[in-house]
Amino acid sequence: MKYDLIIKGGTLIDPAEGIHAEKDIGFADNLVAEIGDDLPEREASSVLDARGRLVTAGMIDLHVHVFPGVSHFGIEPDPTCLARGATTVVDAGSAGADTFPGFRKFVIDVSATRILAQLNISSQGMLTQEIGEFEIPEYANVDKACKMIEQHRDVILGVKVRLTRETIVSERSGMLPLERAREAADACGLPIMVHPQAAWCDSIDEILEVMYERDILTHCFHGMDCGILDERGQVRPSVHKAMARGVVFDVGHGAGSFSWRVVESALEQGIQPQTISSDLHIYNVDGPVYDLANVLTKFLYLGLSLDEAIAKVTSIPAQTLLMEKKIGTLAAGAWGDAVIFELRQGRFQLLDAHGEARSGSQSLAPVAVVKGGQLYRQDLPSASAI
Ligand SMILES: [Zn+2]
C-alpha cells in the first residue's frame, strides 16, 4: 500500500499553500505524502470520506492549560485539545521551573496531543487560587527559569508572565515579573508571552514598550484595565506601533479575557489578531470557550473569511513557533495532522467572557481528527449548538 490513509473529496483549506479547493490528501509514514485531485483508494489501507466537508491542517492552539492535578487550571489535553482538532498546543505557563520536570514527564511525554510550552517566570507556575504566582517577588527567578529552559529547549518556546494585580501579582511584586520575564527570555534567546490585564501600571503602553518581534500579547481583546483601547474607545497608538514591529496579538479567549465590545471595536478600526487561541482551562471548557473550534466560530461571526480564520489557527501560529512546513499545513512532508470540519448552518449562541451574547449563523464543528497520519477520532459532538 502506498498510503496509510487517504482523506477523500473534502474541500482543503491550506492558507500556507494558498489552497482552497476540492482535493484528496494521502498520508504515509506519519507524514503528508501527497495532495492530489484523485488519489487511488485501492492504494490506501483506509479511506475517510470528507465530501461536503472542510479539511484543514491540525489546528495549533497557542494558549491552553493542560497540567491537571498540579495546576488548578489544568485539564486533560487529549479529550479537550486533540480530540477537538487542536493537534498542537502550547501550554501557557501552567508550569514554572520548580514544576516543569513533572509537566514534562507526566503530561508532555505521555499525551497524544503535541504539547509545547511557555515556561512561567514564576518558579511555582500556576498552582493554586489562594496564592498568586507572584505573591512574593522571589518567585520570579531568572536563573531557575534559564536552567530549566536549557534542559528542555525542544519543548519550551518562550517565557510566560501574568500581570494581574492582587490575584496574581502582589503590590510588592508590582511590574517586576515583567522585567524578570524579559531578562530570562533575552538570556535564552526566546520570546515572552504576556497576560496584561489589570497590571500594576497605568496602561498597556508600559507593557508593550518592552515587547518586540515574535513576543506574544495574549488576551488582546480583554475588557479590563490595560486594554488595547483608550478612554474614547480608540485603538491606542502603542498598539499600532507594537503590531508594526512584529509583536503577535493573540486572542487567548479564556474565562474573563474576551469582550465582544473590545473585539468588535478593534476590528472596525482595522485591528485583527494574528493568532486565534482559546486559553482553554477548567473554568471555561464547559463554556464560554468549549474548544478552539468554537472560538474560530466566533471570528466567522465577526466577519473573518474561512481562509482568514483558518490561517490564524494553522499557518500563522506555525510561523510564530518557527515550525512552518512541519505543522499548520498539509503540504507534502508535513507532520500529518489534519481536521475534518462540518460547517453547520443554524442559530448558534456565542457568549463572550462577560456573558454577553451574539447569535451566529454558522458553526465550525470538528468531526474527525488525524494526528501523525493516523485517524485519532471521528464523529465528534459539536460544541455550543443550541
Ligand atoms: Zn492562560
Side-chain angles (χ1 to χ4, degrees), residues 63-65 73 92-94 126 160 162 193 195 218-219 252 254 279-281:
H63 189 156
V64 300
H65 293 282
F73 283 96
S94 301
M126 296 159 66
K160 175 78 188 288
R162 302 199 306 152
M193 178 192 263
H195 152 137
T218 192
H219 307 304
D279 187 19
L280 198 63
H281 55 61

